[in-house]
Amino acid sequence: MSDNQSWNSSGSEEDVEPRDESGHLIGIVDLSGVLSKWTNYIHGWQDRWVVLKNNTLSYYKSQDETEYGCRGSLCLSKAVITPHEFDECRLDITVNDSVWYLRAADPEHRRQWIDSVELHRSIKEGRREKGGIQGTIFISPPLADSGYGSESSLRRHGSMLSLTSATSGFSATSTSSFKKGHSLKEKLAEMETFRDILCRQVDTLQKYFDGCSDAVSKDELQRDKIVEDDEDDFPNTRTDGEFLHNNNGSKEKLFQALSPKGIDFKGEAITFKATTAGILATLSHCIDLMVKREDSWQKRLDKEMEKRRRIEEGYKSALNELKIKSHFGGPDYEEGPNSLINEDEFFDAVEAALDRQDKIEEQSHTEKTRMQRSSPVPPGDVYSTIGTHRFANKVEEMVQNHMTYSLQDVGGDANWQLVVEEGEMKVYRREVEENGIVLDPLKATHSVKGVTGHEVCHYFWDTAYRNDWETTIENFNVVENLSENAAIVYQTHKRVWPASQRDVLYLSAMRKIMANNENDPDTWLVCNFSVDHDDAQPSNKCVRAKINIGMICQTLVSPPEGDKEISRDNIMCKITYVANVNPGGWAPASVLRAVAKREYPKFLKRFTSYVQEKTAGKPILF
């Protein structure tokens, strides 16, 4: 193999990873089991079947679907495994911009998964190091062959030009090159010319020195051949009769004997001196030009540096934004005690999600109103009885509390604040917090023409119509029917990211309030309050909210003219809506208050408009 040859080192046979008959890496234990994986901000955590095998982590929807192929996989060679700082069951696995958020059943299982993943990575890395470092190896030729530092280096710059052409080239440039005002490019061209001239002169001088060396060698050789006579006092002579010693002209004759024919050493020295002077003068001019241009070059350099700085900052900002967007929506940014999202970002995200839901609701509203649903209305005396079910006393207590306190005036010392006023509708609020959780009681009053209190409470209480006007519910079901006017209902609300999903389990009862005298308006009431039930236990996928809601509807009738029958133009329903909600969780107080201020008026307008549409043209239900 030659000195300047290169080759690639690609390791040895030890790079091949030992595997058993089934293809598994020897020395590594595979692991599989159920882990909760964060899917997205809509569905949150979902159980997945995770398999660790051959330095690859894969997941399937379930163990039964492994034969259909994995839904995703990560190569662990460059993976970073991070146990969560606060959640003892969670581990995050990052490969470049891809992040898997996983949760084990308990801390012990998390430790088992982390150890197994680290074992796969360490064994894989150890075998890679054992195989050697791959790369390209280059061997350079010896320094002596390069032409630098050798005895014959000057002889490599030979010239085919004569001394006359060299001196004439110098004289041609010397008259113009010293004029100031030339551009730097021209000065550099002159430097190239002077360099060529200098190389030719050096070559000429080298020839002279070589000639001198050869003459001295011949002289010493001939001197050795002369037999000296110790008694002869005459000076030594050469065959050509020239004296070498003991005369005044010996030095000049020796110089003449050693000088090669055709070379004017004195002239060459003068020319060499002039060439070097020209080089120095041109260099001085170059320095002057560079000094003059230094300011403009510095300004240009500063501009380029500033441009580079802005580009680098823009790149870093874009990269950080890309990383944030890739992880934004992960479990670290959802509602929680250690959420990474700040209050302003939380509010913006919630508001954007609610706007999207409103647009979707507007598109589906027409289809909902076209659907004709009917539910048999029980006789009025059904709603007048207290009932005999196990929650009957609790329902009666709630009804009395609402009739006593909910109809009270908002003035006085109650500290109610008017937050929304739109036509006949007014919304009041009292700010109350307990352990950092917003528990603001809310009270709204509204007057709706053309409907009765019975009709409003009927559509509010009957679950057959719930999906027609309620836009925040994802699904609901009746857990238990207690009586004809009472039921226990479980419902989950739509997720509004980054807030956690909420669910609520409540008893809903509808009652007709008996009048104390004939002048009292016809009054109906629906009360919803939280209860517990064995068939709807709280889960870790939703935050269980607690509610105590009352809707009191009073029918006001204006007498018709003459003998005309009462029509919907003569009736109006006065609604008093009271809500006490404990949302639970860790949502910021300002966000909860802003959402309540936005959503409660929309709910009242949407619901009452729905009742007006459903009852239009139908017999009045008193």
Side-chain angles (χ1 to χ4, degrees), residues 143-167:
L143 182 62
D145 295 339
S146 64
Y148 295 97
S150 63
E151 294 179 356
S152 60
S153 60
L154 290 178
R155 296 180 182 177
R156 293 178 176 271
H157 303 286
S159 174
M160 298 299 293
L161 299 177
S162 64
L163 179 62
T164 304
S165 64
T167 55

Side-chain angles (χ1 to χ4, degrees), residues 10-29:
S10 58
S12 62
E13 294 182 356
E14 292 180 353
D15 291 334
V16 180
E17 297 171 344
R19 300 175 181 268
D20 56 18
E21 295 179 356
S22 61
H24 296 179
L25 292 174
I26 297 176
I28 303 181
V29 179

Side-chain angles (χ1 to χ4, degrees), residues 340-601:
L340 299 181
I341 190 171
N342 61 46
E343 194 165 318
D344 291 337
E345 293 172 336
F346 196 104
F347 175 76
D348 292 341
V350 169
E351 189 175 40
L354 292 175
D355 289 340
R356 289 193 297 268
Q357 289 186 7
D358 290 343
K359 291 181 180 179
I360 296 173
E361 181 59 28
E362 289 176 2
Q363 297 173 358
S364 61
H365 177 69
T366 305
E367 298 179 0
K368 288 184 177 181
T369 55
R370 289 176 181 174
M371 299 177 64
Q372 297 295 327
R373 290 192 181 90
S374 61
S375 177
V377 180
D381 56 354
V382 171
Y383 299 104
S384 302
T385 58
I386 296 177
T388 58
H389 53 81
R390 64 183 185 278
F391 291 101
N393 293 333
K394 185 65 175 178
V395 171
E396 184 63 20
E397 179 185 350
M398 289 294 179
V399 169
Q400 295 302 322
N401 287 338
H402 281 299
M403 292 304 300
T404 301
Y405 300 107
S406 299
L407 294 177
Q408 289 181 351
D409 188 28
V410 294
D413 298 331
N415 294 325
W416 289 101
Q417 302 174 7
L418 179 64
V419 292
V420 177
E421 183 174 7
E422 297 181 11
E424 295 291 333
M425 181 176 59
K426 296 181 180 180
V427 180
Y428 302 87
R429 180 179 66 202
R430 284 193 296 115
E431 293 189 359
V432 177
E433 290 189 23
E434 183 178 323
N435 296 326
I437 299 177
V438 175
L439 304 176
D440 295 352
L442 183 138
K443 185 174 184 177
T445 60
H446 193 23
S447 296
V448 185
K449 295 181 179 180
V451 295
T452 65
H454 188 181
E455 290 170 335
V456 173
C457 286
H458 171 68
Y459 285 103
F460 183 72
W461 178 79
D462 197 333
T463 56
Y465 306 99
R466 185 66 54 84
N467 281 329
D468 291 350
W469 55 266
E470 179 61 274
T471 62
T472 65
I473 292 179
E474 184 175 86
N475 55 66
F476 73 94
N477 64 284
V478 178
V479 178
E480 181 180 356
N481 282 309
L482 300 175
S483 65
E484 292 185 351
N485 66 346
I488 296 178
V489 180
Y490 171 77
Q491 64 188 31
T492 57
H493 291 265
K494 294 177 182 177
R495 174 77 182 276
V496 181
W497 192 88
S500 301
Q501 189 173 23
R502 259 73 176 176
D503 65 356
V504 60
L505 178 69
Y506 62 94
L507 188 152
S508 181
M510 179 175 170
R511 291 286 297 274
K512 176 178 173 59
I513 306 301
M514 303 303 296
N516 294 326
N517 57 69
E518 60 182 11
N519 294 325
D520 289 344
D522 190 35
T523 303
W524 291 75
L525 179 145
V526 175
C527 62
N528 299 333
F529 58 92
S530 294
V531 294
D532 295 325
H533 198 282
D534 293 338
D535 294 339
Q537 296 291 337
S539 67
N540 57 2
K541 295 183 178 181
C542 293
V543 175
R544 178 64 57 88
K546 301 293 184 180
I547 65 170
N548 182 8
I549 294 173
M551 177 179 280
I552 304 172
C553 301
Q554 296 173 313
T555 305
L556 305 178
V557 181
S558 60
E561 297 180 359
D563 296 333
K564 294 182 179 180
E565 294 184 355
I566 296 177
S567 67
R568 292 194 176 274
D569 295 334
N570 303 117
I571 60 176
M572 182 175 65
C573 179
K574 181 181 178 182
I575 301 175
T576 302
Y577 181 83
V578 179
N580 291 272
V581 179
N582 182 348
W586 298 270
S590 61
V591 176
L592 291 175
R593 291 191 171 107
V595 171
K597 182 178 178 180
R598 163 186 167 141
E599 292 300 310
Y600 276 112

